[in-house]
Amino acid sequence: MKTRTRAQAKLITAQLLSGAGIASGYAVGGLLAEEITGKTSMAGIAQMSVILGAGLIAYPLAVLAGKAGRRTALTLGFGIGTLGATVVLLGVALQFLPLFMLGMMMCGSSTASGLQARYAAVDLVDPSAAGRAMSLVVWATTIGSVLGPSFTAPGAHLGAALGMNELAGPYLISMTAFGLATLVASTLTRKITPGAAEAVAESGQSTTEPATMKLGPALRFAAARPVPLFAMITIIAGQMMMTNVMVMTPVHMDHQAFSLGAIGIVVSVHIAGMYALSPVFGWMADRFGPGTVIAGGVAVFAAAITLGVVDAAAEVSSMVLLSTALIFLGIGWSMFLIGGSALLTASVPRHAKVTLQGASDSAMNLGGALMAAMAGTVLQAGGFLWINMMATVVLLIALAFSIRAIPLMRWPGQKAPASPAESTAETSYAD
């Protein structure tokens, strides 16, 4: 018990540090790209690079976790992020955009590792507590995201004091935070392997056997079974909707002549919505089933989109409407992430688990990067209304995949599966 508690604390600490490092550099990444190129249009590409990097590295890190354990994968992932912050600093010093972009993509490795940490937390506990375990790690991002922006100004002063570009200074903070996360991850126990806790629950004996299913067979496995397929679609759709609306809201507000302070408030409440209530949703997933959390997320996303449409239709945007919409957007994302992740974990067998976890994390980030790349063009063509319509289309697609999955999912009032094995796609979730 003590070993498990220490490991959970380390995962939470690493996630907190990673979140702080990401948030510290986030505010200035776009400004640096604009400064290097002299083009405002490049500001969004810099942030997209981080998301794209997370998408490209998530699956390889999951494969590594299956072969060598979570400690090795998380240590390497945070380590690449540390090196990425260093490359960003070098790219800024040389005013060389390709090197800067490479560093930004490498920083995305810390994002991918933070996402994998939620599954590492699940590997430590009984499957019946999976939702709560992962939600605590997700919640730690709240602290990091709140602390991170407060380091931006001190980082700029530090950079100036060292004779650097002061906008690059916050990446010194990011490099330090990622480095500390790497150090913490390196002290995790070797026993954190995908499916270890589940094996103990099933047989009473621990196992270090890694998940071995390859990507192709694993994807075919999920595609043939409504519940794990819907779980993956939920994770991906939540990220796409959130990214699409979130990245363009500050631009929309700027077009509506809101102050930077007002924009900052809206972004802050959105981040709070993303993470602050995650322990509640984790408890709900364990108590009432992941499907209940996802269903709630559908309603919250629908409310966020509706408020966005109402604001877009008004002659003058409302701070109250936008703030409420962005809070709901964050809450919906949290419910989709935790509900979808818990459903995926519960609906596939151990040998497919880590492969599909990595694949869904890669897809969610790549989907988010795609939406971020398209959002500027869509905003220019149809305004904030079209941005919300894009999110509506994604939500409807997710609902279409739910039709076959709903009858096979656990709902309040139903008897829970007698064992983890009975909740896999090979048994109760089979076609």
Side-chain angles (χ1 to χ4, degrees):
M1 178 65 71
K2 289 183 178 180
T3 300
R4 184 179 70 184
T5 301
R6 284 196 297 268
Q8 288 174 325
K10 289 176 180 179
L11 288 171
I12 290 171
T13 301
Q15 178 72 336
L16 188 158
L17 290 165
S18 175
I22 293 166
S24 175
Y26 186 86
V28 298
L31 297 176
L32 284 167
E34 183 179 21
E35 180 182 285
I36 293 172
T37 64
K39 298 179 181 179
T40 303
S41 60
M42 294 302 295
I45 301 299
Q47 307 303 349
M48 187 192 74
S49 296
V50 179
I51 305 173
L52 180 61
L56 293 175
I57 195 67
Y59 177 70
L61 286 178
V63 172
L64 181 62
K67 293 180 178 179
R70 298 288 189 187
R71 183 178 77 173
T72 300
L74 292 175
T75 300
L76 178 62
F78 289 129
I80 292 173
T82 306
L83 181 60
T86 307
V87 173
V88 167
L89 293 171
L90 183 59
V92 173
L94 298 175
Q95 291 288 288
F96 187 51
L97 183 65
L99 191 61
F100 170 77
M101 290 298 190
L102 174 62
M104 294 291 282
M105 290 181 65
M106 293 172 67
C107 284
S109 179
S110 289
T111 300
S113 296
L115 287 170
Q116 187 181 133
R118 77 190 191 279
Y119 289 125
V122 172
D123 295 333
L124 290 166
V125 301
D126 184 272
S128 63
R132 282 164 287 180
M134 74 170 63
S135 68
L136 287 175
V137 174
V138 173
W139 177 82
T141 311
T142 308
I143 303 175
S145 297
V146 170
L147 290 177
S150 67
F151 294 143
T152 301
H157 293 314
L158 176 61
L162 295 175
M164 302 169 54
N165 183 325
E166 67 174 19
L167 287 177
Y171 279 93
L172 290 171
I173 306 296
S174 299
M175 181 177 65
T176 302
F178 293 157
L180 290 173
T182 304
L183 181 63
V184 172
S186 70
T187 65
L188 289 167
T189 174
R190 290 181 179 273
K191 295 181 180 179
I192 306 180
T193 55
E198 185 177 339
V200 172
E202 290 179 8
S203 66
Q205 297 179 350
S206 63
T207 178
T208 58
E209 181 183 356
T212 56
M213 185 175 279
K214 301 297 183 182
L215 180 60
L219 291 176
R220 289 193 294 272
F221 179 93
R225 292 162 174 81
V227 173
L229 178 61
F230 175 58
M232 295 180 69
I233 293 297
T234 297
I235 296 169
I236 297 165
Q239 181 76 4
M240 292 178 71
M241 288 186 286
M242 186 275 292
T243 302
N244 176 57
V245 178
M246 182 269 290
V247 298
M248 284 298 108
T249 297
V251 181
H252 167 66
M253 293 181 69
D254 181 64
H255 291 172
Q256 293 288 319
F258 281 92
S259 67
L260 287 177
I263 294 173
I265 290 172
V266 171
V267 172
S268 294
V269 298
H270 167 69
I271 293 173
M274 288 175 66
Y275 301 114
L277 295 178
S278 55
V280 176
F281 303 142
W283 172 81
M284 288 175 60
D286 293 336
R287 178 66 177 83
F288 303 112
T292 305
V293 179
I294 297 170
V298 170
V300 174
F301 264 127
I305 293 170
T306 300
L307 290 173
V309 169
V310 171
D311 182 84
E315 292 185 8
V316 180
S317 288
S318 165
M319 179 73 175
V320 174
L321 274 179
L322 287 173
S323 298
T324 306
L326 266 290
I327 290 174
F328 284 173
L329 186 73
I331 292 173
W333 175 86
S334 183
M335 297 181 85
F336 267 39
L337 180 72
I338 292 173
S341 300
L343 184 62
L344 180 62
T345 299
S347 63
V348 297
R350 288 196 309 275
H351 65 280
K353 203 177 296 290
V354 69
T355 305
L356 293 175
Q357 288 170 349
S360 64
D361 279 357
S362 282
M364 70 179 278
N365 281 293
L366 293 174
L370 176 63
M371 296 297 274
M374 295 170 56
T377 302
V378 172
L379 183 70
Q380 184 175 0
F384 200 52
L385 175 64
W386 281 24
I387 291 293
N388 284 277
M389 288 299 97
M390 283 181 66
T392 301
V393 171
V394 175
L395 182 61
L396 291 175
I397 291 172
L399 287 174
F401 279 93
S402 74
I403 294 173
R404 293 178 63 211
I406 286 174
L408 304 175
M409 290 161 58
R410 172 190 163 194
W411 298 98
Q414 290 182 335
K415 182 180 178 182
S419 71
E422 291 180 17
S423 66
T424 68
E426 292 178 320
T427 53
S428 61
Y429 292 145
D431 286 331

